[in-house]
Every structure is written in C-alpha cells, then in structure tokens.
Amino acid sequence: MAWRGCLVKWSKIESIKSQNTKPCSSRFNPYHQQRFGFRREAKRSDTKRGNDTKETKALPPEAGMPGSQPPPKIRRPSLFRPFMFTVGFTGCSFGAAAILQYETLKSRARAAKDGEELEKLVLGSQDMAYWHDWWNQLSGLQRQALLLMSMLDDFWSSLSEGQKTVTGIIAINTAVLCCWRIPSMQRNMIKYFTSNPVSKTRCLPMILSSFSHYSIIHMVANMYVLWTFSSGIVSLLGKEQFLAVYLSAGVISTMVSYICKTATGRFHPSLGASGAVMAVLAAVCAKVPEAKLGIIFLPMFTFSAGNALKALVALDTVGLILGWRLFDHAAHLGGALFGVWYVAYGHKLIWRKREPLVKLWHDVRSPGSKGSKPGAGGGAGNP
C-alpha cells in the first residue's frame, strides 16, 4: 500500500505541474499577455481549438494580436542639421561666387592683353594666301568638321550671358533625368535626389533634389521658365551672383518645405527645380514689375510681371493651406519669398559686403602685393 500512496502522490504533483506550465509560458508571449491574464481564461482556451480560433477573430484591436496592431507613429524629425546645412551652404555659395568673379575678371584682363599681342603677331607675319593654302590642304571630312564647329561657335556666340550660364544647369538636369531611367540606380536616386524630412539622408538631397526631375514635362516646364528669365536675372546680378542665388534658393526652398511638412505631419518626398526657378522668376518680377509677360500657348493675353508674381504666390498659398499635393507649394513659396527678399535687401546685405573676403583671397593668391587693391568691382549688376 505504501507504493500505491507514493504513486498517487507523485501523479498529483505531476498534474499540478502540468497545470502551472501553460500560464507561465503565456507570460513570455507578448501577443497573448493581455489575453491570458487570468487562470480561468487559460482553462477556457484549452477546451476546444475551434472555439479558440473564433474567439481570436472576434477579439477587438486592443487584444494585442499581430495583425491588428495600430500603425506606428512617425516621430517629428529634428531640423537642426538641415538648418545649419542651409546656412553654411548659402554662405559658401556667395563666398565662392565672389572669389569666382574676382578670378574671372583677372583672367579676362590677361586674356584680352594676350589676345591683342597674338592678333598683332598673326597679322604681321602671315597673309591671306597662307590661310588659303592651309585650307586647300585639308580633306573633305576635316573641312566639314571645321564648318560644323564654326556653326556651333556662331550659335554659342549669339546666346546671351544668362543663356550660356543656364545651358550648364539644363545639361545637369538632363543627365539626372536620364539616371532616373536606369533601374539599377533607382535606390540611390530615391535616397539622394529626393528630399524628405523623415529620410535618413536629409542634408545632401536639399541641393541634389533641385537638379532632379522624374517627369520630362516637369523638367521642360521648369527649364523653359529658367531659360526665359535667365537673360534678365544675369543682366541684373551677373553670372556669379546668379549662380549663388540659384543654388541658395534651391536649398532654402527645400528647408521651408521641411518646416511645413514637419508642422503639418504630411511627410512625402519632393524633387524638382521649381523652388529655385521661382526665386529667379520672383526676383525679376520684383525688380521689373511693369514688364509685360505672356503665355506661350496664349500669346494674345499679356499681363504685368508684378501681377503674375502676386497670382503665383496666391495660388501656392491656397495650395499649401488646402493641402494640395500636386506640387510642393511650400517650396514654391520659399523660393519666391527668397527671390523677392534678395533683390530688395539681400543684395545690399550680402553681395555688397564681399570686399573683405575678396581682399583676403587676393592677399593669399599674391602675398607680395598686400597693399594693392583687388580688382573685384565692375561687371553687370555689381555696383
């Protein structure tokens, strides 16, 4: 009888252990922790598996099942680094533009002097018979190549200084558009050539996205407006100052877009040169508000540049308030406001105070002439 008593006691202990095993294991399951909080619920779930599946489907979203979890909330990103990048990039753009203007004027003066000496040497030593004999010695293919180069040179010479400058910008945008069509580059293009405040890479796309277009129509529209207003803006500011304004406007407009997206919680990627183009358009319209403009498809309708600027700002303001997502209206407004501010106040505050930087650069390049004054003045739009 003693062994029977030991056997009964051992079986009772094992049954108690088996009952305590299931609730303990359920404590470590994160999905079933709220559901199996009581011992009575654990016993009920062991009755029938069919009823258990029905109860699982009928559970409310608060039950903690994997498929019914609420979507994770996106943290509002910190804009400190993009803001510092905007300030630093804008300062470096205008500083580099001032140095570039100094070097351009210096090289032009040297080239003009060398050109006069070369022309005198050629006219004095050779006559037209020499060039006639040289032309006759060329083959037909060489003559066609020279004629083609001459035509291209004539076309390039016929362009204004602003159109020559914008040609490089159009070439860069075209190259980036072609890169969007390469499947193996899609991941890097999305990472570096689209701007989004919740992205891991936020600073570099602020400038790269200003040269990025995915749609051909979008790029053609932006580049057409830029080509149209390039002559006016370059004649007002000069080539170097225009490049600084254009690049800075691209970064500043993206920064305004970051701020609005963070404030409203509408996080979506953006790309395109619309912000920088709006700065160019707004600068010209604010400087010459009485100029007459027209639409290429409706040439019979004309309007003043000032009214066009007001209409564009009003349209983008309404789009920003109503949350339209066809365009990045915040970037448009940021670029337009920067363009108006620069021609009204920024030119005096930034560009006219570049002389200490140019003098420092002049002293670094030519240490022997520290007392001489650098020739950093002159040029179109550089009073």
PDB file of all heavy atoms in Angstrom, residues 174-196:
ATOM      1  N   THR A 174      19.238  67.328 -67.331  1.00  0.00           N
ATOM      2  CA  THR A 174      19.004  66.279 -68.329  1.00  0.00           C
ATOM      3  C   THR A 174      19.741  64.995 -67.969  1.00  0.00           C
ATOM      4  O   THR A 174      19.205  63.885 -68.113  1.00  0.00           O
ATOM      5  CB  THR A 174      19.439  66.773 -69.714  1.00  0.00           C
ATOM      6  OG1 THR A 174      18.764  68.002 -70.019  1.00  0.00           O
ATOM      7  CG2 THR A 174      19.112  65.753 -70.778  1.00  0.00           C
ATOM      8  N   ALA A 175      20.975  65.135 -67.480  1.00  0.00           N
ATOM      9  CA  ALA A 175      21.741  63.949 -67.081  1.00  0.00           C
ATOM     10  C   ALA A 175      21.076  63.229 -65.912  1.00  0.00           C
ATOM     11  O   ALA A 175      20.997  61.992 -65.882  1.00  0.00           O
ATOM     12  CB  ALA A 175      23.162  64.349 -66.722  1.00  0.00           C
ATOM     13  N   VAL A 176      20.573  63.997 -64.941  1.00  0.00           N
ATOM     14  CA  VAL A 176      19.894  63.377 -63.794  1.00  0.00           C
ATOM     15  C   VAL A 176      18.598  62.705 -64.232  1.00  0.00           C
ATOM     16  O   VAL A 176      18.234  61.626 -63.746  1.00  0.00           O
ATOM     17  CB  VAL A 176      19.634  64.434 -62.708  1.00  0.00           C
ATOM     18  CG1 VAL A 176      18.826  63.844 -61.564  1.00  0.00           C
ATOM     19  CG2 VAL A 176      20.953  64.984 -62.178  1.00  0.00           C
ATOM     20  N   LEU A 177      17.876  63.325 -65.173  1.00  0.00           N
ATOM     21  CA  LEU A 177      16.653  62.710 -65.696  1.00  0.00           C
ATOM     22  C   LEU A 177      16.951  61.372 -66.364  1.00  0.00           C
ATOM     23  O   LEU A 177      16.182  60.404 -66.207  1.00  0.00           O
ATOM     24  CB  LEU A 177      15.990  63.666 -66.686  1.00  0.00           C
ATOM     25  CG  LEU A 177      14.711  63.170 -67.355  1.00  0.00           C
ATOM     26  CD1 LEU A 177      13.580  63.068 -66.345  1.00  0.00           C
ATOM     27  CD2 LEU A 177      14.307  64.080 -68.509  1.00  0.00           C
ATOM     28  N   CYS A 178      18.058  61.285 -67.087  1.00  0.00           N
ATOM     29  CA  CYS A 178      18.446  60.011 -67.700  1.00  0.00           C
ATOM     30  C   CYS A 178      18.810  58.966 -66.643  1.00  0.00           C
ATOM     31  O   CYS A 178      18.536  57.771 -66.822  1.00  0.00           O
ATOM     32  CB  CYS A 178      19.616  60.230 -68.655  1.00  0.00           C
ATOM     33  SG  CYS A 178      19.236  61.262 -70.090  1.00  0.00           S
ATOM     34  N   CYS A 179      19.412  59.414 -65.544  1.00  0.00           N
ATOM     35  CA  CYS A 179      19.759  58.463 -64.478  1.00  0.00           C
ATOM     36  C   CYS A 179      18.520  57.865 -63.824  1.00  0.00           C
ATOM     37  O   CYS A 179      18.559  56.721 -63.340  1.00  0.00           O
ATOM     38  CB  CYS A 179      20.620  59.161 -63.428  1.00  0.00           C
ATOM     39  SG  CYS A 179      22.280  59.610 -63.984  1.00  0.00           S
ATOM     40  N   TRP A 180      17.419  58.609 -63.791  1.00  0.00           N
ATOM     41  CA  TRP A 180      16.174  58.069 -63.242  1.00  0.00           C
ATOM     42  C   TRP A 180      15.650  56.900 -64.076  1.00  0.00           C
ATOM     43  O   TRP A 180      14.883  56.079 -63.572  1.00  0.00           O
ATOM     44  CB  TRP A 180      15.109  59.151 -63.180  1.00  0.00           C
ATOM     45  CG  TRP A 180      15.142  59.985 -61.945  1.00  0.00           C
ATOM     46  CD1 TRP A 180      15.563  61.273 -61.828  1.00  0.00           C
ATOM     47  CD2 TRP A 180      14.731  59.586 -60.636  1.00  0.00           C
ATOM     48  NE1 TRP A 180      15.449  61.707 -60.528  1.00  0.00           N
ATOM     49  CE2 TRP A 180      14.927  60.697 -59.775  1.00  0.00           C
ATOM     50  CE3 TRP A 180      14.211  58.417 -60.104  1.00  0.00           C
ATOM     51  CZ2 TRP A 180      14.629  60.646 -58.414  1.00  0.00           C
ATOM     52  CZ3 TRP A 180      13.904  58.364 -58.750  1.00  0.00           C
ATOM     53  CH2 TRP A 180      14.119  59.470 -57.929  1.00  0.00           C
ATOM     54  N   ARG A 181      16.038  56.827 -65.349  1.00  0.00           N
ATOM     55  CA  ARG A 181      15.554  55.761 -66.224  1.00  0.00           C
ATOM     56  C   ARG A 181      16.393  54.495 -66.126  1.00  0.00           C
ATOM     57  O   ARG A 181      16.082  53.501 -66.789  1.00  0.00           O
ATOM     58  CB  ARG A 181      15.544  56.255 -67.675  1.00  0.00           C
ATOM     59  CG  ARG A 181      14.644  57.477 -67.910  1.00  0.00           C
ATOM     60  CD  ARG A 181      13.209  57.172 -67.530  1.00  0.00           C
ATOM     61  NE  ARG A 181      12.274  58.233 -67.838  1.00  0.00           N
ATOM     62  CZ  ARG A 181      11.942  59.211 -66.993  1.00  0.00           C
ATOM     63  NH1 ARG A 181      12.514  59.296 -65.800  1.00  0.00           N
ATOM     64  NH2 ARG A 181      11.033  60.099 -67.338  1.00  0.00           N
ATOM     65  N   ILE A 182      17.440  54.496 -65.342  1.00  0.00           N
ATOM     66  CA  ILE A 182      18.288  53.309 -65.166  1.00  0.00           C
ATOM     67  C   ILE A 182      17.796  52.536 -63.946  1.00  0.00           C
ATOM     68  O   ILE A 182      17.837  53.044 -62.829  1.00  0.00           O
ATOM     69  CB  ILE A 182      19.763  53.712 -64.996  1.00  0.00           C
ATOM     70  CG1 ILE A 182      20.235  54.538 -66.201  1.00  0.00           C
ATOM     71  CG2 ILE A 182      20.644  52.486 -64.809  1.00  0.00           C
ATOM     72  CD1 ILE A 182      21.645  55.070 -66.068  1.00  0.00           C
ATOM     73  N   PRO A 183      17.303  51.301 -64.114  1.00  0.00           N
ATOM     74  CA  PRO A 183      16.728  50.567 -62.976  1.00  0.00           C
ATOM     75  C   PRO A 183      17.709  50.326 -61.831  1.00  0.00           C
ATOM     76  O   PRO A 183      17.325  50.366 -60.667  1.00  0.00           O
ATOM     77  CB  PRO A 183      16.265  49.239 -63.604  1.00  0.00           C
ATOM     78  CG  PRO A 183      16.108  49.537 -65.062  1.00  0.00           C
ATOM     79  CD  PRO A 183      17.146  50.576 -65.381  1.00  0.00           C
ATOM     80  N   SER A 184      18.972  50.083 -62.148  1.00  0.00           N
ATOM     81  CA  SER A 184      19.935  49.783 -61.087  1.00  0.00           C
ATOM     82  C   SER A 184      20.255  50.996 -60.215  1.00  0.00           C
ATOM     83  O   SER A 184      20.817  50.848 -59.132  1.00  0.00           O
ATOM     84  CB  SER A 184      21.230  49.239 -61.695  1.00  0.00           C
ATOM     85  OG  SER A 184      21.806  50.191 -62.587  1.00  0.00           O
ATOM     86  N   MET A 185      19.898  52.193 -60.659  1.00  0.00           N
ATOM     87  CA  MET A 185      20.194  53.415 -59.910  1.00  0.00           C
ATOM     88  C   MET A 185      18.984  53.954 -59.152  1.00  0.00           C
ATOM     89  O   MET A 185      19.084  55.008 -58.512  1.00  0.00           O
ATOM     90  CB  MET A 185      20.725  54.496 -60.852  1.00  0.00           C
ATOM     91  CG  MET A 185      22.034  54.160 -61.521  1.00  0.00           C
ATOM     92  SD  MET A 185      22.675  55.540 -62.506  1.00  0.00           S
ATOM     93  CE  MET A 185      22.980  56.767 -61.227  1.00  0.00           C
ATOM     94  N   GLN A 186      17.856  53.270 -59.208  1.00  0.00           N
ATOM     95  CA  GLN A 186      16.637  53.786 -58.594  1.00  0.00           C
ATOM     96  C   GLN A 186      16.784  53.989 -57.090  1.00  0.00           C
ATOM     97  O   GLN A 186      16.335  55.003 -56.537  1.00  0.00           O
ATOM     98  CB  GLN A 186      15.474  52.826 -58.865  1.00  0.00           C
ATOM     99  CG  GLN A 186      15.054  52.763 -60.316  1.00  0.00           C
ATOM    100  CD  GLN A 186      14.377  54.044 -60.767  1.00  0.00           C
ATOM    101  OE1 GLN A 186      13.533  54.597 -60.084  1.00  0.00           O
ATOM    102  NE2 GLN A 186      14.782  54.530 -61.927  1.00  0.00           N
ATOM    103  N   ARG A 187      17.432  53.048 -56.431  1.00  0.00           N
ATOM    104  CA  ARG A 187      17.557  53.139 -54.974  1.00  0.00           C
ATOM    105  C   ARG A 187      18.382  54.355 -54.564  1.00  0.00           C
ATOM    106  O   ARG A 187      17.990  55.114 -53.666  1.00  0.00           O
ATOM    107  CB  ARG A 187      18.194  51.848 -54.443  1.00  0.00           C
ATOM    108  CG  ARG A 187      18.098  51.687 -52.954  1.00  0.00           C
ATOM    109  CD  ARG A 187      18.430  50.269 -52.560  1.00  0.00           C
ATOM    110  NE  ARG A 187      18.190  50.021 -51.158  1.00  0.00           N
ATOM    111  CZ  ARG A 187      18.300  48.836 -50.589  1.00  0.00           C
ATOM    112  NH1 ARG A 187      18.622  47.782 -51.326  1.00  0.00           N
ATOM    113  NH2 ARG A 187      18.063  48.679 -49.303  1.00  0.00           N
ATOM    114  N   ASN A 188      19.515  54.554 -55.216  1.00  0.00           N
ATOM    115  CA  ASN A 188      20.352  55.708 -54.883  1.00  0.00           C
ATOM    116  C   ASN A 188      19.698  57.021 -55.301  1.00  0.00           C
ATOM    117  O   ASN A 188      19.883  58.052 -54.636  1.00  0.00           O
ATOM    118  CB  ASN A 188      21.718  55.571 -55.561  1.00  0.00           C
ATOM    119  CG  ASN A 188      22.566  54.479 -54.954  1.00  0.00           C
ATOM    120  OD1 ASN A 188      22.477  54.207 -53.751  1.00  0.00           O
ATOM    121  ND2 ASN A 188      23.377  53.825 -55.765  1.00  0.00           N
ATOM    122  N   MET A 189      18.943  56.997 -56.387  1.00  0.00           N
ATOM    123  CA  MET A 189      18.256  58.216 -56.820  1.00  0.00           C
ATOM    124  C   MET A 189      17.199  58.633 -55.807  1.00  0.00           C
ATOM    125  O   MET A 189      17.061  59.820 -55.490  1.00  0.00           O
ATOM    126  CB  MET A 189      17.625  58.002 -58.194  1.00  0.00           C
ATOM    127  CG  MET A 189      18.605  57.721 -59.304  1.00  0.00           C
ATOM    128  SD  MET A 189      19.787  59.051 -59.601  1.00  0.00           S
ATOM    129  CE  MET A 189      18.717  60.332 -60.195  1.00  0.00           C
ATOM    130  N   ILE A 190      16.464  57.683 -55.286  1.00  0.00           N
ATOM    131  CA  ILE A 190      15.459  57.998 -54.268  1.00  0.00           C
ATOM    132  C   ILE A 190      16.128  58.489 -52.991  1.00  0.00           C
ATOM    133  O   ILE A 190      15.620  59.387 -52.305  1.00  0.00           O
ATOM    134  CB  ILE A 190      14.579  56.757 -53.997  1.00  0.00           C
ATOM    135  CG1 ILE A 190      13.760  56.418 -55.244  1.00  0.00           C
ATOM    136  CG2 ILE A 190      13.662  56.985 -52.804  1.00  0.00           C
ATOM    137  CD1 ILE A 190      12.994  55.120 -55.130  1.00  0.00           C
ATOM    138  N   LYS A 191      17.272  57.931 -52.660  1.00  0.00           N
ATOM    139  CA  LYS A 191      17.947  58.288 -51.414  1.00  0.00           C
ATOM    140  C   LYS A 191      18.571  59.675 -51.468  1.00  0.00           C
ATOM    141  O   LYS A 191      18.466  60.443 -50.498  1.00  0.00           O
ATOM    142  CB  LYS A 191      19.027  57.236 -51.105  1.00  0.00           C
ATOM    143  CG  LYS A 191      19.777  57.483 -49.805  1.00  0.00           C
ATOM    144  CD  LYS A 191      20.795  56.380 -49.553  1.00  0.00           C
ATOM    145  CE  LYS A 191      21.552  56.612 -48.247  1.00  0.00           C
ATOM    146  NZ  LYS A 191      22.564  55.557 -48.002  1.00  0.00           N
ATOM    147  N   TYR A 192      19.207  60.007 -52.589  1.00  0.00           N
ATOM    148  CA  TYR A 192      19.984  61.246 -52.654  1.00  0.00           C
ATOM    149  C   TYR A 192      19.329  62.351 -53.481  1.00  0.00           C
ATOM    150  O   TYR A 192      19.701  63.514 -53.327  1.00  0.00           O
ATOM    151  CB  TYR A 192      21.375  60.959 -53.228  1.00  0.00           C
ATOM    152  CG  TYR A 192      22.223  60.089 -52.349  1.00  0.00           C
ATOM    153  CD1 TYR A 192      22.459  58.758 -52.682  1.00  0.00           C
ATOM    154  CD2 TYR A 192      22.784  60.582 -51.170  1.00  0.00           C
ATOM    155  CE1 TYR A 192      23.242  57.942 -51.869  1.00  0.00           C
ATOM    156  CE2 TYR A 192      23.562  59.785 -50.353  1.00  0.00           C
ATOM    157  CZ  TYR A 192      23.784  58.468 -50.710  1.00  0.00           C
ATOM    158  OH  TYR A 192      24.552  57.661 -49.914  1.00  0.00           O
ATOM    159  N   PHE A 193      18.400  62.030 -54.364  1.00  0.00           N
ATOM    160  CA  PHE A 193      17.836  63.033 -55.265  1.00  0.00           C
ATOM    161  C   PHE A 193      16.366  63.311 -54.990  1.00  0.00           C
ATOM    162  O   PHE A 193      15.688  63.896 -55.828  1.00  0.00           O
ATOM    163  CB  PHE A 193      18.029  62.596 -56.720  1.00  0.00           C
ATOM    164  CG  PHE A 193      19.448  62.722 -57.200  1.00  0.00           C
ATOM    165  CD1 PHE A 193      20.364  61.697 -56.987  1.00  0.00           C
ATOM    166  CD2 PHE A 193      19.875  63.865 -57.844  1.00  0.00           C
ATOM    167  CE1 PHE A 193      21.669  61.803 -57.425  1.00  0.00           C
ATOM    168  CE2 PHE A 193      21.186  63.984 -58.295  1.00  0.00           C
ATOM    169  CZ  PHE A 193      22.082  62.955 -58.082  1.00  0.00           C
ATOM    170  N   THR A 194      15.849  62.880 -53.856  1.00  0.00           N
ATOM    171  CA  THR A 194      14.525  63.280 -53.386  1.00  0.00           C
ATOM    172  C   THR A 194      14.662  63.754 -51.945  1.00  0.00           C
ATOM    173  O   THR A 194      15.379  63.140 -51.148  1.00  0.00           O
ATOM    174  CB  THR A 194      13.519  62.113 -53.456  1.00  0.00           C
ATOM    175  OG1 THR A 194      13.992  61.022 -52.655  1.00  0.00           O
ATOM    176  CG2 THR A 194      13.309  61.660 -54.883  1.00  0.00           C
ATOM    177  N   SER A 195      13.986  64.832 -51.615  1.00  0.00           N
ATOM    178  CA  SER A 195      14.094  65.422 -50.273  1.00  0.00           C
ATOM    179  C   SER A 195      12.885  65.047 -49.436  1.00  0.00           C
ATOM    180  O   SER A 195      11.741  65.142 -49.895  1.00  0.00           O
ATOM    181  CB  SER A 195      14.199  66.941 -50.379  1.00  0.00           C
ATOM    182  OG  SER A 195      13.070  67.480 -51.038  1.00  0.00           O
ATOM    183  N   ASN A 196      13.152  64.609 -48.217  1.00  0.00           N
ATOM    184  CA  ASN A 196      12.096  64.224 -47.282  1.00  0.00           C
ATOM    185  C   ASN A 196      12.640  64.411 -45.869  1.00  0.00           C
ATOM    186  O   ASN A 196      13.716  63.901 -45.551  1.00  0.00           O
ATOM    187  CB  ASN A 196      11.677  62.760 -47.498  1.00  0.00           C
ATOM    188  CG  ASN A 196      10.357  62.429 -46.831  1.00  0.00           C
ATOM    189  OD1 ASN A 196       9.872  63.183 -45.978  1.00  0.00           O
ATOM    190  ND2 ASN A 196       9.766  61.317 -47.210  1.00  0.00           N
TER     191      ASN A 196
END
